[in-house]
Amino acid sequence: MNRIIISSILFAALFVIGCSKDEPHDIVNEIKMSVSAETGTYIPWGSDTPVECMLVMSEDNPGILEPLAFGRIEGFTYERGHEYYLSVKRTILANPPMDGFDRTYSLIRILDDRVITEPEEPEDKEINSEEDIVYHDKCPFNKYAMEKELLVDSEGNIRYSNGDQLPPYDMARLWIEDVLPKDDPNWIEFQKVPYMAIYSFVLSPFTDELRLVRNDPMFNEAIPENEFNNILSMKSGEKAHYALILVNVYMDGLQKLEFTITKQ
């Protein structure tokens, strides 16, 4: 009888252990996070009214500023006009509350705290040519990359050089990637707002005028219809050489990316 009881207890214990292994667990990581000196807005769940919030960028989603409510980072007090670089414990909850967030943040330490005195708005600088663009400190630097060659056939179909087709002209986009490796000595510095590409000046072979576009620009913003028609009329094998000069929110230059459009 005792053997039966003991066996039952052991079986029950093993069953509980096996079930606990299958249950989801919280995922806890230490991550680096940049906090912009400028704020944004978000609409809380169940509300129609925008609320001011922080703008943050985590190391596993570089180049993307995301809204985060004030007070969401436990132990951290945000001060407007300050730009921060933080070490944060992020907990992704296995069983988040129905009406709450799926993750929590708590401050480990402040790695950098810098006061930004310039306004976080595009400055009205007189920029009429490439020579008028003043590069920011440490720039130009190879932080960003894009496809170096695009192919266009006589029917207006746009492809990458590897053959992958883009959406139609009115829906295609020129994607710019943040490719700076994390082991680069400038990685921490270059995740801050002054080194983030917000706009681009387009250098075109068809005009001397600069076009200002947002990143990542739509294809028809960077290459307007009249220029696209010029490319369609080119002979097979001819190339149109373009460039994007990436600039930050202050209109300071960061990097020049050149690309060609080849007529097939």
Side-chain angles (χ1 to χ4, degrees):
M1 186 69 175
N2 289 339
R3 289 181 181 178
I4 295 175
I5 295 173
I6 293 172
S7 298
S8 299
I9 293 172
L10 288 174
F11 176 79
L14 291 172
F15 178 79
V16 170
I17 293 171
C19 290
S20 64
K21 289 182 179 179
D22 295 334
E23 291 178 358
H25 296 280
D26 293 347
I27 301 174
V28 182
N29 294 108
E30 178 180 347
I31 63 168
K32 303 299 187 297
M33 178 182 287
S34 299
V35 184
S36 174
E38 68 174 337
T39 59
T41 60
Y42 79 107
I43 299 178
W45 187 86
S47 172
D48 295 324
T49 304
V51 175
E52 187 181 17
C53 66
M54 300 182 291
L55 292 175
V56 304
M57 179 172 57
S58 60
E59 62 178 330
D60 49 4
N61 197 15
I64 305 297
L65 282 172
E66 300 176 299
L68 188 68
F70 298 128
R72 280 290 310 283
I73 305 175
E74 183 183 356
F76 172 67
T77 301
Y78 177 79
E79 186 174 349
R80 291 172 179 80
H82 286 241
E83 184 178 272
Y84 301 92
Y85 191 61
L86 311 176
S87 176
V88 173
K89 183 179 80 171
R90 180 184 62 193
T91 303
I92 301 177
L93 303 175
N95 295 296
M98 292 290 293
D99 57 349
F101 300 104
D102 68 345
R103 60 197 62 197
T104 63
Y105 302 92
S106 61
L107 179 68
I108 297 175
R109 57 188 174 277
I110 297 176
L111 302 173
D112 193 19
D113 177 1
R114 188 171 66 147
V115 178
I116 303 296
T117 57
E118 301 93 342
E120 294 286 338
E121 295 292 336
E123 294 187 8
D124 186 17
K125 294 182 179 179
E126 189 70 22
I127 299 177
N128 298 310
S129 67
E130 183 177 359
E131 289 70 28
D132 294 330
I133 298 174
V134 177
Y135 278 84
H136 191 63
D137 183 43
K138 297 185 180 181
C139 294
F141 196 87
N142 293 327
K143 179 184 179 185
Y144 296 98
M146 64 178 295
E147 187 71 23
K148 294 184 180 297
E149 184 177 19
L150 297 169
L151 309 175
V152 176
D153 63 23
S154 57
E155 296 180 356
N157 298 310
I158 310 167
R159 295 179 175 85
Y160 291 125
S161 57
N162 65 1
D164 292 342
Q165 186 162 332
L166 275 72
Y169 170 76
D170 290 337
M171 301 176 63
R173 187 180 291 275
L174 295 175
W175 293 107
I176 298 171
E177 297 182 83
D178 188 335
V179 296
L180 188 67
K182 292 183 179 179
D183 59 357
D184 189 283
N186 289 300
W187 196 89
I188 293 177
E189 183 72 13
F190 276 30
Q191 301 310 307
K192 299 176 182 178
V193 169
Y195 295 97
M196 292 180 59
I198 305 298
Y199 305 95
S200 292
F201 284 104
V202 182
L203 300 183
S204 165
F206 299 104
T207 179
D208 292 331
E209 295 182 2
L210 296 182
R211 283 191 295 275
L212 182 65
V213 296
R214 293 278 302 193
N215 286 351
D216 299 286
M218 296 298 292
F219 192 94
N220 59 8
E221 294 174 340
I223 298 92
E225 189 172 2
N226 65 312
E227 294 190 8
F228 191 63
N229 289 333
N230 288 339
I231 294 171
L232 293 179
S233 66
M234 295 190 312
K235 296 179 181 179
S236 178
E238 285 189 310
K239 299 177 183 291
H241 297 274
Y242 282 86
L244 298 179
I245 300 181
L246 311 183
V247 296
N248 62 17
V249 72
Y250 312 115
M251 296 298 164
D252 296 326
L254 301 177
Q255 185 178 342
K256 183 177 181 179
L257 296 176
E258 298 179 341
F259 65 99
T260 62
I261 301 178
T262 302
K263 174 66 185 306
Q264 288 186 302

